[in-house]
Amino acid sequence: MSQQLLPIRHQFPEGFLWGGAFAAHQMEGAWNEGGKGLSVTDISALRKDVPIELRMQGDLSREQVREMLSHEDDWVFPKRWGIDFYHTYQNDLALLGCDGLGLNAIRTSINWSRIFPHGDEEKPNDEGLAFYDRLINAMLANGLTPFLTVSHYEMPLALAMEHGGWHDRATIDRFVRLCKVLFDRFHDRVTHWILVNQINMVAHEGFNHLGVPTDETDDPMSARYQALHNEMVACALATAYAHDTYPELQLGVMEYANLAYPATTAPEDVMATYRRNQMEQLPADVLALGAYPGYALRFFEERGIDVQAEDGDLEALAAHTADFVCFSYYLTQVCSAQSVAEHEQGGGDTFQNPLLEANPWGWAIDPVGLRWTLNVYQDRYHKPLYIVENGCGYLEEPSDDGVVHDSYRVRYFRDHIAQVREAVADGVDVRGYFAWGAMDIVSASSCEMSKRYGFVHVDQDDYGKGSGKRTPKESFAWMQRVVRSNGAEL
Ligand code: BG6
């Protein structure tokens, strides 16, 4: 008997998640309240005279950290105050939830240094857990499904300084302990967990993510990939605990979707770009598919990168794979055989696409790239997908009427969400879309408040001055309609 294959799906599925995404260290503030320890990003200083890489602290030595700490009185550390969400979350969630913007999900992170202030304690800090109890309850009261990230640049600073962060194998146990505490406490209210934010950012986030100071070893590449290996094993073991103990939990691997287009049709450019893109997907290949792919082993061998797996590691990776795959999406770039060769000598491996516009920070705007990325991830993993960050930072000020008129933001989101809908029609199993920083927060990379992403303006400048007042921007009403119509009205 024959059966018609059509129709394809032209609308977002029922139950699609429309969310806002945040990270604790960019919004909570209260850096020294509730028993919290110092985290690796509490030392991120706003200094307009230093390059963005240093503000984000992708690479720091212990000496540099000590230097930064010695400037406690004369430098500005915006992530220490965020937008004061630790104290304002009730009103903020009301503004974003069912009676406000209408979102039905929120992604934020648990600040590791609130739960284990030093990183190697046996017992968690109760005050930290109590805060997240209240926060999760407030999310649910506002119709917001919580998506929680366990590690989003909030490793206790002591763990990095005293143990070399993820380079120390013992951090596997420390992280699994953290996950167990969180799952035990919150499993009844939080089903979706992202274990590590942008786990593939190995090359750019040695300190603020992996917690590996540059003076940890004289072989930084091996140190980073060893740290990544330890992190991935920890993810597999945390997943094993969750699956065994609370079968309803869904564990996700998250990447910074960073695919590049080949610069030309020359086969060498296409191959070099393909290989470069594969390496960007290494952690999801391991954590969603269960094994190190051959291209990675070749990459290690050709560069003398030494990664040691202990007994049981590879078995754990194979047995405890992620339930879903998710990614942040901001931009695409261009790659060539030459840019890859230059990268081996210390240059960047990609460059700007001359056909695309960029925001003031040089981030190219490419809605079609989002559809392409969704299709690539679908073809590769065959698991539910979530876009857990998408958005664009703009420089903007309220007009005389007190409102930010941000038609450019409406255009940005309309174009990107339209491409997600195209991907749905392509058959991609995408289940949620989270707008990054639905409310203005401190930028991760530049530490500026003036790089604004939100549908809600927060009256606060780069130096923390301002009333903190929250005011919906023009795009707020537009996004409300999008969510209410489940993406039908763009
Ligand atoms: C993502 C990070 O890479 O990009 C977020 O997960 C970050 O923490 C976001 O805020 C946007 O970057 P930025 O630097 O503009 O804040």
Side-chain angles (χ1 to χ4, degrees):
M1 202 169 69
S2 68
Q3 190 185 344
Q4 197 185 13
L5 293 176
L6 297 175
I8 62 169
R9 188 192 278 280
H10 287 285
Q11 292 300 342
F12 289 96
E14 280 294 303
F16 192 80
L17 293 180
W18 297 97
F22 303 93
H25 70 283
Q26 291 169 259
M27 69 181 327
E28 282 179 6
W31 65 286
N32 57 0
E33 287 181 47
K36 180 182 167 305
L38 208 56
S39 84
V40 286
T41 45
D42 288 330
I43 57 165
S44 293
L46 173 78
R47 297 181 58 211
K48 300 252 183 190
D49 55 327
V50 296
I52 275 182
E53 297 74 46
L54 288 182
R55 289 189 222 160
M56 187 166 178
Q57 287 141 25
D59 281 317
L60 285 182
S61 66
R62 289 181 171 85
E63 190 49 44
Q64 283 174 305
V65 172
R66 282 190 280 272
E67 157 84 10
M68 307 196 77
L69 289 171
S70 75
H71 283 284
E72 297 249 319
D73 297 332
D74 54 328
W75 285 6
V76 171
F77 299 90
K79 290 174 187 167
R80 294 187 178 191
W81 57 68
I83 56 165
D84 198 31
F85 182 74
Y86 188 82
H87 300 111
T88 61
Y89 69 90
Q90 293 280 7
N91 289 342
D92 289 342
L93 293 177
L95 193 50
L96 297 174
C98 51
D99 295 330
L101 183 55
L103 300 176
N104 58 18
I106 284 283
R107 170 183 174 223
T108 187
S109 57
I110 299 280
N111 193 322
W112 187 343
S113 62
R114 274 194 200 290
I115 310 299
F116 288 105
H118 203 264
D120 54 8
E121 298 89 341
E122 290 294 321
K123 294 255 175 312
N125 168 34
D126 269 340
E127 266 191 274
L129 289 170
F131 168 67
Y132 290 109
D133 252 328
R134 296 193 295 273
L135 183 64
I136 291 165
N137 290 343
M139 288 180 185
L140 295 171
N142 286 289
L144 297 160
T145 298
F147 259 58
L148 294 189
T149 313
V150 179
S151 174
H152 193 143
Y153 313 149
E154 289 128 3
M155 176 185 282
L157 184 62
L159 210 53
M161 294 293 276
E162 292 168 26
H163 302 283
W166 280 109
H167 191 236
D168 181 7
R169 202 172 154 91
T171 298
I172 296 177
D173 288 342
R174 298 176 183 123
F175 182 78
V176 173
R177 188 178 312 137
L178 170 67
C179 289
K180 286 181 177 174
V181 164
L182 300 179
F183 300 158
D184 289 349
R185 179 88 170 213
F186 303 126
H187 68 94
D188 56 337
R189 286 159 289 162
V190 183
T191 51
H192 285 78
W193 295 86
I194 297 168
L195 293 174
V196 177
N197 182 65
Q198 300 187 156
I199 189 169
N200 58 331
M201 292 290 272
V202 189
H204 310 281
E205 300 183 342
F207 187 77
N208 65 329
H209 162 188
L210 294 171
V212 185
T214 49
D215 53 310
E216 175 76 4
T217 71
D218 49 14
D219 181 0
M221 285 289 271
S222 295
R224 282 176 189 218
Y225 282 101
Q226 185 66 56
L228 175 65
H229 175 80
N230 294 343
E231 198 174 31
M232 292 195 295
V233 171
C235 289
L237 296 177
T239 301
Y241 177 78
H243 285 167
D244 287 350
T245 323
Y246 308 109
E248 68 279 14
L249 296 195
Q250 298 286 301
L251 282 293
V253 52
M254 180 200 171
E255 290 187 333
Y256 171 68
N258 185 20
L259 300 179
Y261 302 118
T264 74
T265 52
E268 292 74 15
D269 285 339
V270 174
M271 189 63 226
T273 306
Y274 192 81
R275 174 53 42 91
R276 180 255 170 218
N277 286 348
Q278 283 178 313
M279 281 305 290
E280 291 296 318
Q281 292 189 267
L282 168 60
D285 283 358
V286 175
L287 289 173
L289 303 178
Y292 273 94
Y295 68 78
L297 303 181
R298 181 167 187 182
F299 180 91
F300 294 161
E301 187 184 271
E302 288 177 351
R303 288 160 187 78
I305 294 172
D306 180 24
V307 179
Q308 297 292 323
E310 301 287 320
D311 285 350
D313 285 2
L314 301 182
E315 291 75 7
L317 291 171
H320 309 295
T321 53
D323 300 302
F324 65 91
V325 177
C326 55
F327 57 79
S328 56
Y329 177 83
Y330 292 96
L331 49 89
T332 53
Q333 288 179 307
V334 179
C335 180
S336 68
Q338 190 186 338
S339 67
V340 168
E342 285 170 5
H343 181 55
E344 302 285 336
Q345 308 307 319
D349 63 347
T350 53
F351 51 95
Q352 289 279 22
N353 188 337
L355 302 179
L356 297 176
E357 276 179 36
N359 78 353
W361 290 264
W363 296 26
I365 298 175
D366 180 10
V368 175
L370 178 53
R371 176 183 176 188
W372 176 50
T373 301
L374 281 164
N375 274 275
V376 168
Y377 274 76
Q378 170 79 30
D379 293 349
R380 212 169 171 97
Y381 303 117
H382 302 283
K383 300 214 177 196
L385 300 177
Y386 295 88
I387 302 155
V388 291
E389 290 182 29
N390 177 228
C392 188
Y394 294 101
L395 287 166
E396 59 192 7
E397 290 292 337
S399 300
D400 291 344
D401 60 0
V403 174
V404 175
H405 294 281
D406 52 349
S407 52
Y408 41 87
R409 181 168 287 108
V410 169
R411 191 164 56 245
Y412 178 94
F413 280 110
R414 177 183 288 137
D415 292 350
H416 282 77
I417 293 171
Q419 290 299 321
V420 180
R421 197 163 64 188
E422 290 298 322
V424 169
D426 293 335
V428 173
D429 183 12
V430 51
R431 302 193 182 180
Y433 174 90
F434 290 70
W436 177 252
M439 178 175 277
D440 293 343
I441 53 175
V442 176
S443 156
S445 58
S446 74
C447 284
E448 291 161 303
M449 191 66 202
S450 47
K451 187 177 187 187
R452 295 178 184 271
Y453 285 84
F455 303 109
V456 176
H457 177 261
V458 176
D459 178 29
Q460 182 179 306
D461 71 10
D462 288 343
Y463 301 91
K465 303 243 165 19
S467 65
K469 184 169 175 234
R470 279 60 165 150
T471 310
K473 301 179 190 175
E474 197 177 292
S475 55
F476 187 95
W478 174 83
M479 190 61 186
Q480 232 172 8
R481 276 201 308 280
V482 173
V483 180
R484 276 195 197 133
S485 66
N486 195 27
E489 285 177 37
L490 290 182

